[in-house]
């Protein structure tokens, strides 16, 4: 939760400063250490790590961020966030929702159209999936070994 708060606070401040600078036509007055490059915030496993303040900041970033180069991508299940009730309804309605389930529908808030999802398939005979899964397995094994060394002081 502490890491979530720090990232959201920094991005919220960035959005506020850039918006004020643009409105007052003083973008040259932005702090030199402020990164004005396009940024993408990827929120995985929402709402884990989010308190009420963080949810409010996330909603703000979803609404105000894109106009100044801060974009949001969430990996979330609406059911997992049901404890927040209708507070998140505007956020859910504003997002383009993609589904991992074949033949399910994508909700497109911009045009109000439902699209059918057809996931890309690995071409027959391709070894790319085996290679990717092998790399993921090796990385997970290396991470477990590093954590074990760390926990044993080695």
């Amino acid at each position: 939760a502490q890491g979530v708060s720090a990232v959201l606070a920094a991005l919220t401040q960035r959005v506020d400063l850039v918006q004020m600078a643009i409105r007052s036509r003083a973008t040259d007055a932005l702090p030199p250490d402020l990164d004005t490059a396009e940024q993408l915030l990827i929120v995985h496993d929402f709402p884990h790590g989010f308190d009420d303040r963080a949810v409010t900041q996330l909603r703000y970033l979803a609404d105000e961020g894109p106009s100044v180069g801060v974009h949001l991508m969430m990996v979330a299940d609406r059911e997992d966030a049901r404890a927040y009730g209708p507070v998140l309804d505007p956020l859910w309605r504003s997002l383009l929702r993609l589904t991992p389930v074949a033949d399910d529908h994508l909700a497109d808030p911009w045009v109000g159209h439902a699209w059918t999802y057809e996931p890309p398939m690995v071409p027959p005979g391709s070894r790319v999936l085996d290679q990717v899964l092998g790399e993921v397995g090796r990385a997970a094994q290396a991470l477990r070994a590093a954590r074990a060394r760390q926990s044993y002081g080695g």
Side-chain angles (χ1 to χ4, degrees), residues 132-149:
V132 168
L133 292 176
E135 288 296 319
V136 168
R138 284 188 285 282
Q141 193 173 28
L143 181 61
R144 281 192 299 274
R147 285 182 178 161
R149 284 192 303 275

Side-chain angles (χ1 to χ4, degrees), residues 90-110:
L91 176 65
W92 295 123
R93 282 193 301 270
S94 70
L95 298 173
L96 172 64
R97 292 179 302 282
L98 303 176
T99 177
V101 180
D103 296 326
D104 204 352
H105 290 75
L106 308 179
D108 188 340
W110 298 292

